[in-house]
Amino acid sequence: MNVITVSREFGSGGRELGKRLADTLGFNYYDKEIITAVAKELSMDEAYLERATDSRVLSRIPLHFSRTLTRPSAFSLSNSYLLAQQHKIIKELAAKGDCVIVGRGADAVIKELDPVTLFVYADMPSKIKRCRSRADENEVLSDREWERRIKQVDKSRAENYALFSPAAWGDMHTYHLCVNTSNIEIKSIVPMLASYVKTRLERNSV
């Protein structure tokens, strides 16, 4: 079983990179499918669930993943429970076979599987440009507003990651490879990344 995880700064193009890499390698690709699976299992609204699991409120709730979890009532459903369910789904998807998993702290969640771990980042002007190009036509924000949003999302990701990993989100020592996508067309670097990943996977299998 070969697993690749892609952690990424908001606006860095990590999602596109993960999808193109999965297509090139012929691997399954999991991103929003994780939230979809959790929402279906809990009979919850997918959009609400995604907001809840991305919220910084998680950093204020102690998590105890070693305990056996039973499904709580709708009134007692906590973000810690939602995060635990998300991790369960990630492990189930990874166990199905070769795949690329984007975000959700998957590198830490399935660390025991020894995945190839990538971190995708970019400078702020590049991230703002990418966010604006993909935004809804009614979402008109200034550069300052985009920068504020990008920093908020990345802060949330770092805080949530710290709940279940001793490593720091974005620390280069945590990943096998950090990829700077500033002023680069994502599809142009995927062949090189695929070659690197194949070499790393071959090394892991020895």
Side-chain angles (χ1 to χ4, degrees), residues 24-25 193-203:
T24 299
L25 296 172
L193 293 177
S195 179
Y196 169 84
V197 167
K198 288 177 182 177
T199 300
R200 173 66 67 174
L201 290 173
E202 290 171 359
R203 180 178 178 180

Side-chain angles (χ1 to χ4, degrees), residues 2-206:
N2 299 309
V3 182
I4 304 162
T5 64
V6 180
S7 303
R8 78 285 188 219
E9 292 182 341
F10 187 59
S12 65
R15 177 171 289 163
E16 178 187 350
L17 185 149
K19 183 62 170 67
R20 289 184 180 277
L21 184 59
D23 290 344
T24 299
L25 296 172
F27 284 14
N28 291 323
Y29 171 80
Y30 302 120
D31 179 10
K32 289 185 176 296
E33 292 84 354
I34 297 169
I35 288 296
T36 299
V38 176
K40 182 177 180 180
E41 184 168 318
L42 300 179
S43 299
M44 294 183 66
D45 177 75
E46 188 174 331
Y48 168 79
L49 181 58
E50 183 163 19
R51 290 194 300 272
T53 53
D54 280 341
S55 173
R56 280 179 291 169
V57 71
L58 285 173
S59 65
R60 299 192 290 273
I61 302 176
L63 304 182
H64 305 285
F65 294 107
S66 61
R67 297 181 181 177
T68 299
L69 292 170
T70 57
R71 181 172 175 175
S73 68
F75 295 103
S76 63
L77 196 63
S78 67
N79 280 353
S80 59
Y81 179 80
L82 298 179
L83 191 56
Q85 291 299 302
Q86 179 174 276
H87 290 184
K88 180 174 75 72
I89 294 296
I90 289 172
K91 291 179 179 180
E92 291 174 352
L93 292 174
K96 289 183 176 182
D98 297 347
C99 63
V100 174
I101 303 177
V102 174
R104 310 294 169 189
D107 60 298
V109 175
I110 54 174
K111 187 176 182 178
E112 69 277 5
L113 298 181
D114 195 22
V116 175
T117 57
L118 308 181
F119 185 83
V120 185
Y121 68 102
D123 59 31
M124 187 58 70
S126 295
K127 290 190 288 189
I128 292 174
K129 181 180 179 180
R130 187 172 281 112
C131 286
R132 182 172 283 121
S133 69
R134 289 162 172 73
D136 185 274
E137 60 181 12
N138 296 319
E139 190 174 27
V140 181
L141 301 178
S142 66
D143 283 359
R144 184 183 296 272
E145 290 171 324
W146 272 120
E147 181 173 351
R148 186 180 303 115
R149 176 176 294 186
I150 289 168
K151 289 181 177 179
Q152 287 175 341
V153 172
D154 285 346
K155 182 178 180 180
S156 295
R157 289 176 177 174
E159 290 177 345
N160 289 344
Y161 188 80
L163 295 173
F164 49 87
S165 174
W169 181 83
D171 180 355
M172 66 178 182
H173 298 97
T174 301
Y175 310 93
H176 289 120
L177 181 67
C178 294
V179 183
N180 186 344
T181 59
S182 301
N183 300 312
I184 290 180
E185 188 178 32
I186 299 295
K187 67 179 181 180
S188 69
I189 62 174
V190 170
M192 292 181 289
L193 293 177
S195 179
Y196 169 84
V197 167
K198 288 177 182 177
T199 300
R200 173 66 67 174
L201 290 173
E202 290 171 359
R203 180 178 178 180
N204 287 354
S205 64
V206 174

